[in-house]
Amino acid sequence: ADPSPARQAAGRSIEAQTIDLDRDKKVDEAKSSLHIATSALSKAVTKGVLKPNTASRRISRLTQHVNSLAASR
């Protein structure tokens, strides 16, 4: 099945929102957004939009961003 462009765009926008919250130093909001982004990326894997390693890499990078913010607080 061909991945839906709408699903791909939604995944990218969720990641971007999490990174923006990270830049704005909003730790609590970034953590809740990370949870939503992780769920969305996992769902994208089950729907065939992303490959498992790609989703895992993105989740890892987002988690590193949020954790570095929390550590510097």
Side-chain angles (χ1 to χ4, degrees):
D2 202 21
S4 166
R7 286 189 194 272
Q8 289 176 335
R12 284 191 297 271
S13 68
I14 291 171
E15 289 179 60
Q17 289 170 2
T18 303
I19 292 172
D20 287 343
L21 290 171
D22 184 37
R23 288 187 186 132
D24 293 339
K25 308 292 186 205
K26 297 180 181 176
V27 178
D28 296 331
E29 291 178 35
K31 285 184 179 182
S32 64
S33 181
L34 173 65
H35 181 68
I36 293 167
T38 303
S39 176
L41 288 168
S42 297
K43 188 173 183 177
V45 170
T46 62
K47 299 293 182 182
V49 176
L50 291 176
K51 292 184 178 181
N53 287 350
T54 302
S56 179
R57 184 179 63 247
R58 289 182 182 180
I59 290 169
S60 176
R61 288 178 182 169
L62 285 172
T63 303
Q64 285 177 345
H65 276 290
V66 174
N67 287 345
S68 68
L69 173 65
S72 67
R73 192 172 189 202

